[in-house]
Amino acid sequence: MKAWRIASLVVVAAVGAWVLYAFAPTQYGFYPRCPFNLLTGLQCPGCGTTRALHQLLHGNVKAAFRLNPMLFLGLMPFALFSAPDFLRGRTPAFIMKPWFAWMCFVVLTGYWILRNTPLYPF
Amino acid sequence: MNCPNCGTNNLDNASVCVNCGRSLMAPPAQSYTPPPPPSYGTPSAGVPGPTIPNYLVQSILVTLCCCLPLGVVAIVFSAQVNSKLAAGDIAGAQDASNKAKMFAWIGFGLGLVVSIIWFAMSGAAFMQGIREGMANR
């Protein structure tokens, strides 16, 4: 990856982090809303990510985890494992494995259904 | 000689493949009914020859950020790309890859449209609030 791309990524991430830190998503309406939640009132697998990142930037790990546990259990390990390959412009080998793709499907849909039921623990 | 169907190495004078039974006397290359794997030397199972993008990351991002069921459909096709590649079905994998790409883009587009409509509506409500605030002052 070229240096200017890394630099622009860092700048965008820094600005995004500052906006997320300074303006609570629960109080300011300029953040993009989840279209699925907007239309159905149900939670999608990604709902709570913005609020969770806001809490995380304020050091409230527990509150962030409660807002979207899948962010910590799924997305973060995925990002950690795949980042070295993606930064080199390659596709990580496990992404092309059948078990991994089907696992993503099962976990995401399972989580999606579960978090809209009273069984959901958070 | 190697069997054109399964790649098994047979004796040079063999008339049928010892592994899959395909006739080795058949006229070469042009008249195969099933499309042969691109490389005859290596068995195709498990080792994908060409790289076919599965759009899994894009599909997951569409599911998480645009939150539409279309993202999940795209994930299913992504997973099919992997399964078909592992099975050596290159054409099927390419087909599933195209569908994964299509559904990911449709999901992204629909999410964008809903978001834009919502921004327009909330923007209008915001201006309304300002006007009322001015009037009440």
Side-chain angles (χ1 to χ4, degrees):
Chain A
M1 193 144 52
K2 292 202 177 73
W4 65 267
R5 282 180 74 178
I6 296 175
S8 49
L9 263 179
V10 169
V11 169
V12 168
V15 171
W18 176 76
V19 171
L20 267 172
Y21 179 84
F23 303 97
T26 42
Q27 280 158 33
Y28 292 89
F30 60 81
Y31 290 100
R33 275 279 313 268
C34 168
F36 179 76
N37 180 263
L38 206 59
L39 292 175
T40 63
L42 295 170
Q43 300 235 302
C44 89
C47 284
T49 304
T50 322
R51 284 166 284 159
L53 287 176
H54 174 77
Q55 291 294 341
L56 203 61
L57 287 167
H58 284 266
N60 304 328
V61 179
K62 208 173 163 186
F65 184 84
R66 286 173 60 93
L67 280 164
N68 195 338
M70 196 48 78
L71 204 61
F72 293 83
L73 302 176
L75 209 59
M76 279 188 185
F78 176 77
L80 283 176
F81 281 116
S82 59
D85 275 324
F86 277 129
L87 287 176
R88 289 188 189 91
R90 291 196 305 235
T91 306
F94 66 86
I95 284 183
M96 295 309 288
K97 297 267 189 275
W99 65 264
F100 180 75
W102 288 113
M103 184 192 76
C104 286
F105 167 68
V106 170
V107 167
L108 267 179
T109 31
Y111 177 56
W112 191 358
I113 295 167
L114 181 71
R115 77 182 306 194
N116 287 301
T117 63
L119 292 169
Y120 190 65
F122 296 104
Chain B
M1 70 178 291
N2 290 332
C3 170
N5 185 45
C6 67
T8 304
N9 198 3
N10 290 283
L11 293 171
D12 280 345
N13 56 359
S15 57
V16 291
C17 173
V18 288
N19 183 46
C20 67
R22 187 191 162 87
S23 170
L24 299 176
M25 302 300 215
Q30 296 92 322
S31 62
Y32 296 155
T33 22
S39 52
Y40 286 173
T42 52
S44 63
V47 189
T51 45
I52 295 173
N54 64 359
Y55 300 103
L56 182 63
V57 175
Q58 291 89 329
S59 305
I60 291 174
L61 284 177
V62 166
T63 311
L64 293 185
C65 302
C66 302
C67 311
L68 279 145
L70 288 170
V72 173
V73 178
I75 291 177
V76 171
F77 281 115
S78 298
Q80 281 185 10
V81 174
N82 293 8
S83 293
K84 286 178 175 171
L85 268 185
D89 179 6
I90 307 292
Q94 186 62 59
D95 187 48
S97 171
N98 293 341
K99 284 182 179 141
K101 187 184 181 183
M102 186 182 74
F103 276 105
W105 274 110
I106 295 175
F108 178 75
L110 276 178
L112 203 64
V113 167
V114 173
S115 293
I116 289 171
I117 292 173
W118 181 74
F119 265 114
M121 278 163 59
S122 62
F126 180 70
M127 298 309 279
Q128 178 87 30
I130 287 181
R131 271 198 296 273
E132 278 166 13
M134 294 285 218
N136 292 342
R137 200 158 50 168

